[in-house]
Amino acid sequence: MTGQSNRTIVQAARVYLRVSTDEQDLARQESIVAGARAAGFYVAAVYREKASGARSDRPELLRMVADLQPGEVVVAEKIDRISRLPLPEAELLVATIRGKGARLAVPGIVDLSDLVADSAGVARIVLEAVQDMLLRVALQTARDDYETRRERQREGIEIAKRAGRYTGRKPDLAHHRRIIGLREAGMSIARTAELAGCSIAQVKRVTAVHRARMAVGSGLDVTVTDGEL
């Protein structure tokens, strides 16, 4: 058409990669970046995180949401990479993403955005309702899967205990590093516990152990008291 540009509009994407623990590897998800580019997206940034999807205070997730610009797309391997939160929290997260003018491009999530944009009246209302329903089902499924895994883990521990094979839970080093990082950033014990999703007692224990190790490394003679624990 005369006077109209024929240039193709390239959408920007922000890719979010997540695994739950330090023992897991993000490399398997790296192909998502290439896949996004192959699909025609300009990859504005890649956010890599090792944290539970059941946590709402993941630093890279929060950074991604803060970076989002209108018209951008959030790309992830599956919806459970974005969230394994309880449904109300998961819906709030998605609403925040949408509130930035962005949308999700995640396998298994039917995206009706283009149809909604081209519709009006009752048709638009119906399409929006269907989109919200499909997303709600996906978010709830991700949470249910998380709860099922947790229950199986608890059952496995009980069986191991009864058989005398349970050796205890390995320390969550990533979680401990987060606690130390928050404390070193000047957060109070109570605020650290809130942000890290743990008890005040655990914050005190982890902090005390960290201080003791630092003291040993510097050659100081330090005794960790019960009050510090």
Side-chain angles (χ1 to χ4, degrees), residues 208 211-212 214-216 218-225 228:
R211 287 176 178 170
M214 293 297 290
V216 169
S218 63
L220 296 176
D221 182 12
V222 174
T223 301
V224 178
T225 66
E228 288 176 302

Side-chain angles (χ1 to χ4, degrees), residues 2-229:
T2 304
Q4 184 176 7
S5 173
N6 291 322
R7 289 181 299 173
T8 301
I9 298 176
V10 178
Q11 272 195 308
R14 297 187 183 273
V15 181
Y16 181 71
L17 311 178
R18 183 189 67 78
V19 292
S20 297
T21 66
D22 279 346
E23 286 71 31
Q24 293 177 297
D25 190 359
L26 282 165
R28 179 180 57 82
Q29 296 181 38
E30 291 292 341
S31 62
I32 297 170
V33 180
R37 291 194 177 104
F41 291 111
Y42 163 70
V43 177
V46 180
Y47 304 81
R48 298 174 177 85
E49 190 132 65
K50 294 192 175 183
S52 170
R55 301 175 62 93
S56 60
D57 61 343
R58 285 167 272 157
E60 285 300 286
L61 175 68
L62 296 178
R63 187 167 73 88
M64 180 194 71
V65 173
D67 290 346
L68 282 171
Q69 301 297 315
E72 292 186 336
V73 175
V74 174
V75 176
E77 181 186 36
K78 295 185 295 184
I79 192 62
D80 63 15
R81 299 301 92 191
I82 299 291
S83 172
R84 286 187 181 273
L85 293 162
L87 186 57
E89 294 180 47
E91 289 185 312
L92 179 59
L93 171 60
V94 172
T96 302
I97 291 172
R98 287 177 167 178
K100 299 295 291 281
R103 64 183 179 85
L104 294 172
V106 181
I109 302 297
V110 178
D111 184 15
L112 303 177
S113 301
D114 292 337
L115 290 176
V116 170
D118 293 336
S119 302
V122 175
R124 185 186 187 96
I125 294 172
V126 170
L127 286 171
E128 287 177 340
V130 170
Q131 176 78 90
D132 290 343
M133 180 193 68
L134 292 173
L135 183 57
R136 190 175 298 114
V137 169
L139 292 170
Q140 185 61 59
T141 299
R143 179 63 183 186
D144 289 346
D145 180 66
Y146 169 77
E147 295 288 359
T148 298
R149 289 168 183 260
R150 299 259 303 176
E151 182 58 33
R152 287 175 179 170
Q153 184 182 47
R154 284 192 290 267
E155 290 174 353
I157 289 173
E158 288 302 316
I159 292 172
K161 283 181 177 179
R162 289 195 295 268
R165 298 195 306 269
Y166 184 64
T167 58
R169 183 179 180 180
K170 294 181 179 179
D172 187 341
L173 299 181
H175 186 53
H176 290 185
R177 283 195 292 271
R178 176 166 178 73
I179 291 173
I180 296 303
L182 288 168
R183 292 290 285 134
E184 291 182 343
M187 297 293 176
S188 67
I189 290 175
R191 182 59 174 160
T192 296
E194 180 183 350
L195 291 175
C198 65
S199 67
I200 288 177
Q202 184 177 17
V203 173
K204 290 181 177 179
R205 284 195 298 271
V206 172
T207 303
V209 170
H210 175 70
R211 287 176 178 170
R213 286 175 177 168
M214 293 297 290
V216 169
S218 63
L220 296 176
D221 182 12
V222 174
T223 301
V224 178
T225 66
D226 290 340
E228 288 176 302
L229 293 174

